[in-house]
Amino acid sequence: MATQNLSPAPCVPASSPAYPMAKPGYGKRSAPDQLPPRADDFALLPERERYVAGFVDHLPDGAAMTVKTLAKQLPLYGQQAVGSALAALSVAGHLRRVRCLVGEGEQVRWVFRTFWSRTARDNEWWNAYLDAEDHRAGADPEGGAEPGAAAVPGTGDESWTSVVPEAPTTAPVSPRTCAQVPIPAPGAPADAPAAPAPGVPAQPGPRCLSPAYLALARLGRVDHRLALSAADCEALEARATEWLARGVSTDYLTQALTAGLPARVDSPVGFLRHRLKDKIPPALPVAPDTPTGSARRVMVECARCGAPGRPDALPDGLCRPCRQAAHGAALVPDAVTGHAAGREVRAYVNELRELLKVP
């Protein structure tokens, strides 16, 4: 008789939890042109930095790179040790912490990323690479975020949300200053002009009115002493157009023509012709088009204190105070001179006080 196997089934090995990923657009970004991974990639680094670098190198792009998240996954070191190791890896040329401006207009936000390179790079390489990233971000402001990513309510990233308006179902009707085109008769081609009624002579189509003509026509409503006829507006339209061609607005033109009117204007068209000729504004020279420097979209952050700056202003990914503190130098070289000057002032004041004492 067959023996029944009463031994329990083998337990499935527990899988380690997946490493937390950052929000879309944040986290780790791998630098290009890296050498293939080897066992001795970080052999020249100290033990702590070698341990942290090996762990970060195996993380996928988009993984969370905050010190707190890394310290939770690295049981041998705490947050302070991990932060110091990341700063050392930045000095060694393996990473740069940056903040990138994503979006346009009023819908912008800063996203924080960590560019990682298994191959150690010098400052010149990082500066050139981050400058290229800045140009790419300027050409495509929305390209920094993941495709189709949006801020999800309740995840702590409601600082910026892009709202795409729905397309209108019907085309908007734009106002026009000239008469609308008459609707063609049924059965006629869409582009065929409407036939005039029998026995009625064809009338010329209405012309579109220029801003200068409209500004002259409205003068009578601003001040009744300057009421013009249609023929007067056509006669003065060319002179008013010269004003607008020199960069003034129709409001400026109206104010200049209606300011300081006499108590009685016998001939409005003659009075306005005289003013349009004598008070025409000067023609300003056209300034040459100089390329204006747009705001930088990629800023490097200090790996120790998080101070932002341009890539060339933060060599080794460290700001000047943190770099001097790491090298054992004084934070401010002029501090000694300042303290000495302060002591001299105090000594001088004490001498004056002694002289002013009553004997």
Side-chain angles (χ1 to χ4, degrees), residues 105-257:
E106 297 181 356
Q107 295 183 342
V108 295
R109 62 171 174 170
W110 287 104
V111 297
F112 301 89
R113 300 168 183 162
T114 300
F115 286 95
W116 172 260
S117 174
R118 182 186 313 109
T119 305
R121 306 292 188 179
D122 55 9
N123 292 319
E124 288 73 15
W125 188 92
W126 278 114
N127 294 346
Y129 174 68
L130 294 177
D131 286 341
E133 282 290 314
D134 181 71
H135 292 310
R136 184 192 62 80
D140 184 16
E142 298 293 343
E146 297 295 334
V152 181
T155 60
D157 188 23
E158 292 91 17
S159 59
W160 176 78
T161 305
S162 59
V163 179
V164 180
E166 298 181 358
T169 56
T170 59
V173 180
S174 59
R176 300 187 56 172
T177 56
C178 56
Q180 300 295 331
V181 179
I183 303 176
D191 55 350
V200 179
Q203 299 293 334
R207 67 182 184 91
C208 291
L209 305 179
S210 65
Y213 183 95
L214 294 175
L216 294 171
R218 295 191 184 104
L219 290 178
R221 298 184 180 182
V222 177
D223 195 306
H224 67 279
R225 289 170 290 184
L226 297 181
L228 298 174
S229 64
D232 296 338
C233 293
E234 294 179 359
L236 300 176
E237 183 180 4
R239 291 186 181 273
T241 304
E242 294 180 8
W243 281 55
L244 301 182
R246 299 196 177 194
V248 303
S249 61
T250 55
D251 293 337
Y252 180 91
L253 174 63
T254 302
Q255 184 179 3
L257 296 179

Side-chain angles (χ1 to χ4, degrees), residues 296-338:
R296 188 175 181 89
R297 288 184 168 265
V298 177
M299 302 288 288
V300 180
E301 282 192 346
C302 177
R304 289 186 180 273
C305 65
R310 297 177 60 87
D312 51 0
L314 278 76
D316 298 333
L318 298 176
C319 62
R320 182 178 180 184
C322 294
R323 190 169 61 255
Q324 291 178 344
H327 289 77
L331 294 181
V332 182
D334 297 333
V336 178
T337 306

Side-chain angles (χ1 to χ4, degrees), residues 87-111:
L89 292 175
S90 177
V91 175
H94 290 286
L95 68 86
R96 287 292 186 271
R97 290 190 176 274
V98 302
R99 59 175 66 178
C100 304
L101 189 64
V102 177
E104 285 184 305
E106 297 181 356
Q107 295 183 342
V108 295
R109 62 171 174 170
W110 287 104
V111 297

